[in-house]
Amino acid sequence: MPAKRGPKIISGKAVAETIQEELQAEIAALKKRKLVPGLAVVLVGEDPASEVYVRNKRLTCEKLGINSYAHDLPANTTEKRLLNLIAKLNADPKVHGILVQMPLPKHIDEQRVLNAIDPDKDVDGFHPVNVGRLLNGEPCFLPCTPAGCQELLMRSGYDPAGKHAVIVGRSNIVGKPLAALLMQKGPGGDATVTVCHSRTKHLARITQQADILIAAIGMPEFVKARMVKEGVVIIDVGVNRVEDKTRKSGYRLTGDVDFKGVSKKARAITPVPGGVGPMTITMLMKNTVAAARRAGK
Ligand code: GUN
């Protein structure tokens, strides 16, 4: 009997490369019109994971020919000072997109900061105006991680239309907006969506019904083989640092899914790293290019 083949590995890295090539063509066309997309990346404090994310965002800007404007502020920055900076960036015509890396230090009200960003420069899609537009199905900046998950499914041949998509996690950054995207009428949507979270009863009974399972709960290897059905397509949004003494860094990255365990049953799965992560950054670049294009009209 032939050995059972493992799942298809959905490479976010490869799909992200393809989208970045498309973006490079668009950026070149904008540059012919003397329009260089610009992204302001604001980091407050020294959270090590945030530093890595921000560095990757800036490096990707450089790679694609997007101007990135770095604003690294100390952890004791006041909310007022941060709001002043955002007001300046809102008024700066070279800046088409503004990204404030989350989480912010405890003494700063995150929502107040997000509310201060001009919705037309809100390339993260976190401003209430864009959140509302998303729910209404109006054109808007799509939040980068949910948009990345949707693109990854579509470009890998796993159209969510008519499928039961189960999302584990209800955050404002991933779970909630992803539910809105996948249930939206039209291409990339039309799924039947269930959102589970830490207070869900009989969680495994629900996840076992998923045709597409998206794990975004922030707990290392939370989704086990017994929680999924044969043939499921899994998108693992988790990025967790777990101790690993065999590594020079002392840690390794793992997702919210027990990759090895579920591989016996899944049809397809994203790896961590190299899955959703590169897609999130690429969607940020896509939103920035769209913002520049719109500003140039
Ligand atoms: N922190 C974790 N994910 C994100 C993201 O997509 N955008 C921002 N600004 N902060 C984050």
Side-chain angles (χ1 to χ4, degrees), residues 13-283:
K13 198 161 170 270
V15 175
E17 279 293 332
T18 305
I19 299 173
Q20 288 184 15
E21 278 165 26
E22 295 165 10
L23 285 177
Q24 270 169 324
E26 200 170 335
I27 292 165
L30 287 174
K31 282 186 178 169
K32 280 200 186 131
R33 293 167 39 203
K34 304 266 178 283
L35 186 57
V36 184
L39 175 67
V41 181
V42 182
L43 175 64
V44 186
E46 282 143 25
D47 177 69
S50 289
E51 282 178 344
V52 173
Y53 295 143
V54 161
R55 188 168 63 237
N56 285 337
K57 288 168 186 176
R58 289 174 182 156
L59 285 172
T60 311
C61 281
E62 208 173 297
K63 176 178 161 196
L64 300 188
I66 293 173
N67 282 337
S68 98
Y69 303 100
H71 295 272
D72 292 343
L73 307 177
N76 64 1
T77 300
T78 61
E79 186 177 292
K80 190 157 176 250
R81 173 132 189 259
L82 181 56
L83 291 172
N84 279 341
L85 171 63
I86 288 171
K88 259 197 230 148
L89 297 172
N90 281 341
D92 186 341
K94 293 191 301 302
V95 172
H96 304 108
I98 302 170
L99 175 132
V100 181
Q101 187 64 31
M102 300 291 152
L104 289 169
K106 294 271 176 296
H107 65 277
I108 299 177
D109 182 336
E110 286 186 351
Q111 199 57 53
R112 198 174 293 155
V113 171
L114 294 176
N115 293 358
I117 296 173
D118 178 347
D120 291 333
K121 295 191 177 189
D122 170 38
V123 285
D124 251 331
F126 292 164
H127 190 284
V129 164
N130 284 315
V131 176
R133 285 177 183 155
L134 168 61
L135 266 189
N136 280 345
E138 294 172 47
C140 62
F141 289 117
L142 299 179
C144 304
T145 301
C149 293
Q150 186 184 44
E151 281 277 344
L152 206 44
L153 285 168
M154 291 300 282
R155 290 187 186 237
S156 309
Y158 304 108
D159 188 335
K163 298 289 193 298
H164 185 192
V166 175
I167 301 169
V168 186
R170 56 175 158 181
S171 68
N172 286 349
I173 291 183
V174 187
K176 278 192 229 168
L178 182 56
L181 263 185
L182 295 182
M183 75 170 84
Q184 203 73 257
K185 206 181 248 190
D190 291 331
T192 303
V193 180
T194 303
V195 181
C196 305
H197 48 78
S198 56
R199 303 291 294 270
T200 298
K201 276 190 184 156
H202 309 302
L203 183 107
R205 277 192 221 161
I206 299 167
T207 55
Q208 280 159 2
Q209 295 170 37
D211 303 311
I212 297 171
L213 181 70
I214 298 118
I217 196 161
M219 292 165 77
E221 301 184 3
F222 177 83
V223 175
K224 305 288 185 200
R226 63 173 178 79
M227 295 165 69
V228 304
K229 76 173 175 191
E230 200 75 43
V232 65
V233 173
I234 298 179
I235 305 289
D236 189 351
V237 179
V239 185
N240 307 291
R241 284 183 180 206
V242 295
E243 195 181 80
D244 186 342
K245 294 219 167 70
T246 67
R247 303 282 178 105
K248 207 167 83 186
S249 60
Y251 69 87
R252 72 189 152 84
L253 292 181
T254 184
D256 289 354
V257 177
D258 170 13
F259 185 92
K260 209 167 150 207
V262 302
S263 286
K264 294 182 207 106
K265 291 166 101 178
R267 174 192 316 271
I269 184 168
T270 61
V272 176
V276 174
M279 291 299 294
T280 296
I281 294 185
T282 303
M283 300 323 281

